[in-house]
Amino acid sequence: MSEVEKWRESDDALNTKAGKKIYAEKAHRHQANKAVMKKTTVSYKPLFKLLIDKSLKKKDLAEKAEISIATITKMGTVGSHVNTDVLERICVALNCKLDDIIEIVQVSDGEMMSEESAYSESDCLELNPIACKEYGLTRTEQEIVHFIYEQLQYYRDNPPSFMVNQARSDFGSGSYEEAKKSIPTDRFYSLVLNEVIENWGQEGCDFAQKHIPFKTIESGYFEPEDETFGELTMI
């Protein structure tokens, strides 16, 4: 029996009529299993098509919807999720329905990778190449740097209510605007770092170990000149 079993695994056996049939059945089962492995995920491809149709840039949408560019950039990744408040703001800003900006697609892991790459090519992130080279930033780390820059600006404009209340207590600020302006930028760092680790996992932790000064990032050092908000100075 051992000799028969060895022969069944040999090329001679596979080349017989029965062997070819078995091989074809295995291939068919493999394809069927691949089809079963497909899963549904979120795609924001309709949103980016809509922006092109309306001749709008990410920066334009960010201003209209009062959301950060980092959030819009995140939506360029297939399978990423944003909260419903963001989707509502976008629909109001663009005067459209939810199904105009989002769709549920069925993809396999491989297809997710290829579609994600297509997004990256069509809406690629361009930073200052000299600055990125100086700090040896990988493609992922460039995305993280941009995310931090955008989020710091977002929190400066839209600080969490508990920080505003704390500023009123610490600095004796009266109005909301006064309290907002008195919040030190470094208080936002823990929020941003938590989001980096949540979005990028181990890569986010590895990036934190580089100890790139936040002041360097928030100054717009890595950003193209026409895209910067201007330096956010430490208080």
Side-chain angles (χ1 to χ4, degrees), residues 35-78:
V36 171
M37 286 171 62
K38 286 195 171 187
K39 54 187 177 182
T40 57
T41 190
V42 178
S43 171
Y44 301 98
K45 194 171 183 179
L47 169 62
F48 293 103
K49 285 183 178 178
L50 187 60
L51 292 180
I52 293 172
D53 293 340
K54 291 179 176 288
S55 299
L56 294 174
K57 296 181 178 179
K58 287 191 297 183
K59 193 172 184 179
D60 300 324
L61 176 60
E63 292 173 356
K64 283 177 173 289
E66 297 183 352
I67 58 178
S68 71
I69 298 179
T71 297
I72 302 172
T73 301
K74 178 184 176 183
M75 294 169 75
T77 302
V78 179

Side-chain angles (χ1 to χ4, degrees), residues 26-225:
K26 284 184 178 180
H28 178 73
R29 283 197 299 272
H30 178 68
Q31 291 297 326
N33 288 337
K34 282 180 67 178
V36 171
M37 286 171 62
K38 286 195 171 187
K39 54 187 177 182
T40 57
T41 190
V42 178
S43 171
Y44 301 98
K45 194 171 183 179
L47 169 62
F48 293 103
K49 285 183 178 178
L50 187 60
L51 292 180
I52 293 172
D53 293 340
K54 291 179 176 288
S55 299
L56 294 174
K57 296 181 178 179
K58 287 191 297 183
K59 193 172 184 179
D60 300 324
L61 176 60
E63 292 173 356
K64 283 177 173 289
E66 297 183 352
I67 58 178
S68 71
I69 298 179
T71 297
I72 302 172
T73 301
K74 178 184 176 183
M75 294 169 75
T77 302
V78 179
S80 64
H81 295 276
V82 295
N83 62 44
T84 53
D85 178 61
V86 170
L87 299 177
E88 181 181 354
R89 291 186 183 194
I90 292 175
C91 288
V92 171
L94 299 180
N95 190 26
C96 65
K97 299 177 181 178
L98 185 60
D99 57 6
D100 292 327
I101 64 172
I102 189 174
E103 63 181 351
I104 304 300
V105 293
Q106 189 179 51
V107 293
S108 65
D109 291 339
E111 288 170 332
M112 285 183 70
M113 290 290 288
S114 63
E115 191 167 354
E116 186 173 331
S117 300
Y119 274 128
S120 300
E121 292 170 2
S122 64
D123 193 26
C124 61
L125 176 66
E126 294 183 7
L127 299 184
N128 183 337
I130 297 175
C132 294
K133 185 176 181 181
E134 178 183 344
Y135 282 88
L137 299 183
T138 65
R139 178 67 186 178
T140 298
E141 289 171 340
Q142 290 177 41
E143 292 176 356
I144 293 174
V145 162
H146 179 67
F147 178 84
I148 292 172
Y149 174 74
E150 297 287 352
Q151 287 300 84
L152 285 176
Q153 177 63 28
Y154 176 77
Y155 282 131
R156 289 298 301 169
D157 295 336
N158 306 276
S161 58
F162 75 88
M163 286 192 177
V164 176
N165 294 333
Q166 187 66 46
R168 281 176 171 158
S169 174
D170 292 346
F171 307 109
S173 303
S175 68
Y176 174 84
E177 287 300 322
E178 289 175 340
K180 186 173 78 169
K181 290 178 181 177
S182 66
I183 300 174
T185 304
D186 58 0
R187 290 197 176 176
F188 301 123
Y189 292 165
S190 59
L191 291 178
V192 177
L193 274 180
N194 285 337
E195 291 175 355
V196 166
I197 294 172
E198 181 181 345
N199 290 332
W200 282 277
Q202 185 59 49
E203 290 176 301
C205 294
D206 293 342
F207 172 82
Q209 297 303 312
K210 283 202 165 187
H211 301 295
I212 298 175
F214 272 96
K215 196 166 185 178
T216 300
I217 299 175
E218 70 183 357
S219 68
Y221 182 64
F222 295 97
E223 305 292 319
E225 285 187 21

